[in-house]
Amino acid sequence: MSQDVFGEEFWDERYGADDRVWSGQPNPQLVDRVTGLTPGRALDVGAGEGADAVWLARRGWDVTAFDVSRVALDKVRAHAVDAGVADRVTCHRVDLATWVGEPAAYDLVSAQFMYLDQPGLTTLYRQLGAAVAPGGRLLLVGHHPVDERHGSHDFPDVRWTPEDAAAWLDADDWASIDTATVQRQGHLGTMHDGIVEAVKRSG
């Protein structure tokens, strides 16, 4: 697979081409799984234009937003200012293909639709798991292989089943690992999201 698809230049160009690439609404699986949790330190991985980061910050989370694109992060900062939560959102330009991790740093780590090829994606998910603090939560959401590539999702094959993704984690590190496949309606029709939600052992 071409690394260009996953690099800064590609995403800078994409985010710079339109005022808004995504809907501006938080990812529905994040809303469904995180609503009601006690706020703490959150890592939003691949933050894009910042809808998830702003949603979390509005609910009291202190959010670190990662993205490979500086253009995207400029949008995150602007949207955080507009929402009155700039003091709760910190942005960092990070190449996730070479990121070495931050052990036990976050109470919530959310990675929605990561565009990395293998084996980089498996390595990233394990590093994200290591970044979850004891008692914290890892939320992985990705495109399920049951959906064909089409439209804006015509990327190299980054799809996974939740069962496969759960197996990439070290079961001994987690008090629970839950998997699910959920349908949702997107602008391209019915889509299937693979979900892994894991809770770190407290000790």
Side-chain angles (χ1 to χ4, degrees), residues 4-168:
D4 292 342
V5 177
F6 309 112
E8 180 179 12
E9 183 177 354
F10 175 90
W11 290 104
D12 277 351
E13 181 177 346
R14 186 165 193 206
Y15 283 115
D18 294 292
D19 288 340
R20 189 178 291 280
V21 174
W22 309 118
S23 69
Q25 300 301 311
N27 281 293
Q29 311 310 340
L30 175 75
V31 174
D32 182 58
R33 300 284 175 141
V34 174
T35 296
L37 295 182
T38 300
R41 302 156 298 169
L43 176 61
D44 180 16
V45 187
E49 293 164 317
D52 286 0
V54 168
W55 183 87
L56 287 165
R58 280 176 164 165
R59 282 148 186 81
W61 293 85
D62 292 313
V63 185
T64 299
F66 279 3
D67 205 279
V68 72
S69 169
R70 291 181 173 85
V71 176
L73 292 174
D74 286 344
K75 294 184 177 185
V76 175
R77 294 184 185 96
H79 292 153
V81 169
D82 290 345
V85 293
D87 60 331
R88 288 193 174 275
V89 178
T90 302
C91 296
H92 294 288
R93 190 265 164 186
V94 175
D95 183 351
L96 294 170
T98 58
W99 182 61
V100 295
E102 298 175 78
Y106 301 97
D107 304 299
L108 170 69
V109 174
S110 172
Q112 309 268 330
F113 307 107
M114 294 292 96
Y115 290 102
L116 281 178
D117 56 352
Q118 294 289 7
L121 189 62
T122 296
T123 299
L124 173 63
Y125 283 171
R126 288 173 178 164
Q127 289 171 331
L128 295 180
V132 178
R137 193 170 304 252
L138 174 68
L139 179 61
L140 308 175
V141 181
H143 297 297
H144 197 285
V146 72
D147 293 331
E148 295 181 358
R149 289 184 292 170
H150 57 155
S152 62
H153 297 296
D154 191 15
F155 284 91
D157 192 5
V158 294
R159 287 158 174 73
W160 43 260
T161 69
E163 294 75 19
D164 284 343
W168 301 337

